[in-house]
Amino acid sequence: MAYEDVAIAGYGETDYHSDKDEQWAPYEYLADAIRSALADAGLSAEDVDGLSVTSHELHGENEVTLAKHFGFSCRWVLGDSTGNAAPLIGILRGAKAIQDGRAETVLVVAGDTSSPDSNMELMEEFNTGLYNYMRPYGFGGANGLFALLQSRHMHEYGTTREQLSNIAVTQREHARLNPRAIFQDPLTKEEYIEARPIVEPLHLYDCVMPCSGGGAVVLTSQENADALDTDPVYIHTGDEYHAAPTEPFSLRTAFAELDVLGESIARDDLDAFQLYDNYPIWVALQLEDLGFCPKGEGGAFVSEMDLSFDGDFPLNTGGGQLSCGQANGGGGILPTIEAIRQLRGEGDERQVTGADLILTTGPGTVFYGDVLCASAAVLGSTPPKTGVA
Amino acid sequence: MMTSPTPPLPTETGVDGPFWERARNEELSIQYCECCDRHTFPPRTVCPACFSDLSWVEVSGDGSIYAYGTVYRPNRPVIFDDRVPFVIAVVELEEGPRIVSNVLSEPDDICVGDPVRVTFRKITETVTLPMFKPV
């Protein structure tokens, strides 16, 4: 899909809180991220006429009640049925709304409170598939679902924990260069391997820390962006897919259905990869299904590549959710925000040199043996060329 | 007054009544599409491949371990804590569909691929859960 004449004009990210005593109300994470994103763009709240909200803990609220709450009168809105895919999908569909003239300035915000206990409850009640057919057996939340996927991947393809360790270990190095990341202590491969099991084969450092936080992105027309004192980032390609016709616990994810590079982008053109990382096995599966390695070789691939920000396959250069924490809905916007930051050259000590094109992903809606939604985009520091290259 | 902890119970959705009713009678039944000649799980309203009506059929109860995990941190610790660590598994039934359940075995005694057979565990007066034992 072509995304000309639209620009990502600003972004904002809150601090992340893992301590209940520091925690704000869910609304406050949204407000803080919105305020930062608008200020970053040089836009004001009254400019906003399109809104996408991803927030799982605001019971009794949705994207339209929140539009009213924050004072955004909208000609385009999007909620979060697609789970943590919703922020990236909000960016892609919001860009289309701007192109179509439906809205002029679209705000995409994702944020939440969360904790290990509240996340367990959320996963138990997320939908009937989990509630009725996994929860009664003590599945242990999302940890159980992804442990079962990893178990099968290890059996079918010989994937090992040693191979997957490179993801968590390298991303921790990135987190140590990211003051916002919750986890700042070094993590060795030995510590990763020997950490206590949560749902075997997943151990402690395979699992994200549910925390509180949020992020926001504001898009507007290219014409508007040119008049602002900001550093725009552009959408080059994007795609989404939902409810792929696979059997539960298939190792082929909905990412296999995406056409994210299109005709004009080659894999070697990409400078960094911000891949949704709730679990290392999920990163490996995305890499397989997005075509970076054959099916089943995700473990070998991540163990052989240099995943450092200055290596040959920079992965989750801010530390990812595995080291920053997963701010519930905010986890869905984290990869995209890090992509934007890198494309602007604001990566500080973890800047990917010459970052011009970055792939970002947004999966969402865990279900019975499945993650129902997939989205991905390539963002760039310059506008996409019109037509086929 | 001590209140007993509530086990994590399923709630009938309106299309899955027969699954739970038959489980109470220690029968494993899932849905079957005659047009596709395929069984389907979890319970649903119509066949997801061709939209035909489905029928409920009793299945053999035999299957194999497609995947399994050992739970150290369950949901609802108040019920499962004394069973930790226990096995959560995806059982691929002989008829095809994949059902999540517990395998009643020490984690070290099972492997992916092992044959299993259904057994039933009564949780409350209205809820009996199908579980599996190694053959």
Side-chain angles (χ1 to χ4, degrees), chain B residues 49-66:
Chain B
C50 73
F51 224 82
S52 302
D53 287 337
L54 299 164
S55 55
W56 286 94
V57 297
E58 184 173 8
V59 291
S60 66
D62 290 328
S64 63
I65 297 176
Y66 171 89

Side-chain angles (χ1 to χ4, degrees), chain A residues 124 132-133 200 248-249 368, chain B residues 9 11 16 66 70 75 98:
Chain A
E124 288 189 284
N132 274 3
Y133 306 109
E200 183 76 49
F249 299 95
Y368 181 84
Chain B
L9 301 174
T11 307
D16 59 355
Y66 171 89
T70 307
N75 51 307
R98 296 175 188 150

Side-chain angles (χ1 to χ4, degrees), chain A residues 21-361:
Chain A
D21 293 335
E22 294 178 304
Q23 192 176 291
W24 311 334
Y27 301 86
E28 292 173 312
Y29 291 104
L30 301 179
D32 188 82
I34 291 170
R35 205 174 263 134
S36 299
L38 290 173
D40 183 53
L43 289 164
S44 64
E46 61 203 13
D47 295 317
V48 173
D49 61 353
L51 181 68
S52 152
V53 182
T54 306
S55 191
H56 306 309
E57 293 294 346
L58 273 173
H59 303 296
E61 302 280 7
N62 56 46
E63 67 279 16
V64 290
T65 62
L66 290 167
K68 186 69 177 174
H69 179 101
F70 288 122
F72 299 125
S73 299
C74 297
R75 303 182 73 241
W76 178 88
V77 289
L78 182 67
D80 58 17
S81 301
T82 55
N84 276 11
L88 185 55
I89 289 174
I91 288 168
L92 295 176
R93 293 194 202 167
K96 286 289 161 187
I98 292 170
Q99 275 189 331
D100 292 343
R102 171 117 295 271
E104 200 174 318
T105 296
V106 168
L107 179 62
V108 177
V109 62
D112 252 335
T113 56
S114 191
S115 69
D117 285 344
S118 75
N119 187 258
M120 187 69 83
E121 230 180 277
L122 182 75
M123 288 295 99
E124 288 189 284
E125 295 174 7
F126 212 51
N127 45 59
T128 57
L130 297 173
Y131 191 86
N132 274 3
Y133 306 109
M134 292 187 72
R135 171 182 155 274
Y137 303 98
F139 73 137
N143 300 332
L145 169 61
F146 288 88
L148 292 168
L149 289 174
Q150 181 165 323
S151 159
R152 185 67 195 181
H153 204 274
M154 292 168 81
H155 172 81
E156 246 185 86
Y157 302 114
T159 304
T160 65
R161 298 192 61 237
E162 283 72 16
Q163 287 174 327
L164 296 173
S165 69
N166 202 22
I167 294 172
V169 168
T170 310
Q171 288 186 198
R172 180 60 65 88
E173 287 306 303
H174 297 159
R176 300 183 69 213
L177 302 170
N178 178 2
R180 267 205 184 79
I182 284 182
F183 294 106
Q184 295 284 331
D185 293 334
L187 176 67
T188 65
K189 182 175 177 176
E190 290 65 41
E191 285 167 337
Y192 169 90
I193 298 291
E194 285 159 27
R196 63 184 168 89
I198 305 295
V199 182
E200 183 76 49
L202 298 183
H203 290 228
L204 183 64
Y205 299 111
D206 290 305
C207 304
V208 292
M209 161 74 85
C211 67
S212 303
V217 166
V218 61
L219 300 94
T220 192
S221 66
Q222 175 85 71
E223 197 183 321
N224 284 350
D226 288 341
L228 296 168
D229 179 24
T230 187
D231 189 359
V233 163
Y234 301 91
I235 304 166
H236 281 232
T237 59
D239 200 4
E240 59 176 281
Y241 201 86
H242 312 284
T246 46
E247 287 301 299
F249 299 95
S250 167
L251 295 179
R252 178 188 165 99
T253 71
F255 283 93
E257 312 297 334
L258 298 180
D259 175 19
V260 71
L261 298 184
E263 310 254 324
S264 53
I265 300 175
R267 254 165 250 146
D268 288 343
D269 294 335
L270 300 169
D271 299 310
F273 306 86
Q274 313 296 350
L275 307 182
Y276 188 92
D277 63 323
N278 54 345
Y279 300 91
I281 187 63
W282 191 248
V283 173
L285 284 167
Q286 288 172 82
L287 288 166
E288 290 172 2
D289 290 337
L290 289 169
F292 290 96
C293 62
K295 177 48 78 183
E297 293 187 21
F301 185 85
V302 298
S303 67
E304 286 158 18
M305 301 304 277
D306 181 352
L307 305 175
S308 301
F309 70 93
D310 55 1
D312 51 6
F313 202 88
L315 174 68
N316 291 330
T317 53
Q321 294 170 78
L322 285 168
S323 280
C324 291
Q326 179 185 68
N328 222 351
I333 208 168
L334 183 91
T336 298
I337 282 180
E338 178 67 9
I340 296 168
R341 184 179 279 128
Q342 289 280 348
L343 290 166
R344 283 214 190 152
E346 293 171 3
D348 289 333
E349 294 175 63
R350 61 189 198 270
Q351 178 66 46
V352 174
T353 310
D356 278 322
L357 283 178
I358 297 183
L359 174 69
T360 181
T361 65

